[in-house]
Amino acid sequence: MEVPGLFNYWMVVVLMMAGLYTVIARGNLVKKIVGLNVFQISVFVLYITMGKITGGTAPILGGGLALYSNPLPHVLILTAIVVGVATTALGLALIVRIREAYGTIEEDEILDMERGET
Amino acid sequence: MIELIDVALLCMMAVSALAVLWLRNLFAVAMLAGSYSLMAATLYVVLDAVDVAFTEAAVGAGISTVLMLGALTLVPHEEKPSGRHALSGLVVTVGLGALLIYATLDMPSFGDAGAPVHRHVANRYIEDSAAEVGLPNVVTSVLASYRGYDTLGETTVIFTAAIGVLAVLGWGGRPGRRRPPADGETRP
């Protein structure tokens, strides 16, 4: 079976949109953070796919190999993964604080409480 | 064979992403997000990005899941149904997805050695980094030497995030900590 050359990109778009839809349509704040993570990892897959060369190997020199995949996307994504975890941690801390203040982590209920006060 | 593993992993990731969207138990969602991340790590090994796979498995699948589970001990772990933006969100995501898929038609084919992304600085890194930096792993050379300022910026972001978490949650001893307001009680 021949896989189309753009299949990876199409699947990345599907994953990306699944994450975006989770962020838009789900009112639970933890679910929104997970949706952001899903979106984020799909972007990582997009970059790593671009760096792949058919027949290439991991960019570690030596061993008599001639063709290496592109190391630059790998470096960018290494940085992005760690930054992504830092933002996830901050988002979860904010959610815990919101729960302390409002007693709920559902967006709809928080908005209702805000409207009820004004 | 590589293509087969690639397709299988991407399909499994799509199933997990849809299950994250579908499930309401947030513990199940957290574990699915962890397995999604682990499948992504396996995919990076297939796509020659071994360093990224290490980091994703340790940081993405490990620390993220621990943080998520830790947060879930402090918040309710059942999601309540909400259909506020269900239709408009679907229209936006399907429209945007169609546009992005249309955009991918201009992308170079998977594994194409002549793609524009391979024509810039990457070849210089592969050819000269052994002489200039002296490490066999090109990714390490680029991370620590050629793009060292990126890594410095990354550590700045982590430091800022750590300060932010401490500022939001505090060291402890804050009155009313970890306790949601009871019924009839006014909010702080």
Side-chain angles (χ1 to χ4, degrees):
Chain A
M1 184 188 74
E2 188 64 29
V3 179
L6 295 171
F7 178 81
N8 270 39
Y9 299 125
W10 297 338
M11 286 309 282
V12 162
V13 172
V14 170
L15 294 175
M16 217 181 260
M17 290 306 119
L20 184 62
Y21 186 74
T22 313
V23 174
I24 294 175
R26 292 292 179 260
N28 187 291
L29 296 176
V30 173
K31 198 80 167 273
K32 278 183 195 279
I33 293 276
V34 176
L36 269 182
N37 277 341
V38 168
F39 190 105
Q40 191 181 340
I41 289 177
S42 77
V43 176
F44 300 163
V45 174
L46 172 73
Y47 268 65
I48 300 297
T49 301
M50 287 197 282
K52 170 75 178 165
I53 297 177
T54 305
T57 58
I60 298 170
L61 304 174
L65 300 160
L67 189 62
Y68 301 105
S69 288
N70 192 336
L72 192 55
H74 301 183
V75 175
L76 300 179
I77 295 311
L78 273 179
T79 309
I81 289 174
V82 178
V83 168
V85 170
T87 51
T88 303
L90 189 57
L92 290 171
L94 284 170
I95 291 173
V96 170
R97 187 69 189 83
I98 286 171
R99 151 84 171 160
E100 284 176 23
Y102 289 86
T104 177
I105 55 166
E106 302 288 336
E107 192 187 45
D108 298 353
E109 294 175 5
I110 295 169
L111 287 174
D112 287 345
M113 287 164 89
E114 286 289 323
R115 287 200 193 98
E117 277 192 353
T118 49
Chain B
M1 191 59 197
I2 296 271
E3 279 81 7
L4 193 66
I5 299 173
D6 178 79
V7 169
L9 279 170
L10 280 168
C11 291
M12 280 157 69
M13 283 171 75
V15 171
S16 330
L18 293 177
V20 162
L21 182 60
W22 191 259
L23 287 175
R24 297 211 177 280
N25 186 326
L26 293 178
F27 275 113
V29 168
M31 294 322 291
L32 267 172
S35 70
Y36 176 83
S37 183
L38 201 61
M39 284 186 266
T42 319
L43 186 63
Y44 301 154
V45 175
V46 175
L47 298 178
D48 294 345
V50 284
D51 307 78
V52 186
F54 283 147
T55 314
E56 179 72 49
V59 178
I63 297 179
S64 262
T65 311
V66 170
L67 285 174
M68 201 80 76
L69 292 175
L72 282 180
T73 60
L74 301 174
V75 300
H77 33 80
E78 275 298 324
E79 184 196 4
K80 291 175 189 160
S82 151
R84 272 201 324 146
H85 301 297
L87 190 65
S88 53
L90 198 64
V91 171
V92 167
T93 44
V94 169
L96 189 59
L99 272 177
L100 284 173
I101 285 182
Y102 176 66
T104 61
L105 298 181
D106 271 349
M107 298 280 284
S109 186
F110 176 66
D112 182 3
V117 66
H118 305 306
R119 297 231 184 109
H120 196 44
V121 288
N123 288 324
R124 185 178 177 283
Y125 289 153
I126 289 171
E127 282 156 20
D128 298 343
S129 74
E132 286 177 351
V133 184
L135 294 171
N137 190 337
V138 184
V139 175
T140 311
S141 300
V142 179
L143 185 78
S145 178
Y146 293 108
R147 298 189 70 91
Y149 280 113
D150 266 14
T151 311
L152 182 65
E154 172 198 331
T155 47
T156 312
V157 170
I158 299 166
F159 183 64
T160 315
I163 291 177
V165 170
L166 288 177
V168 169
L169 292 184
W171 285 101
R174 193 151 45 80
R177 193 168 176 227
R178 308 272 179 276
R179 191 172 56 88
D183 289 340
E185 187 186 6
T186 50
R187 268 180 26 224

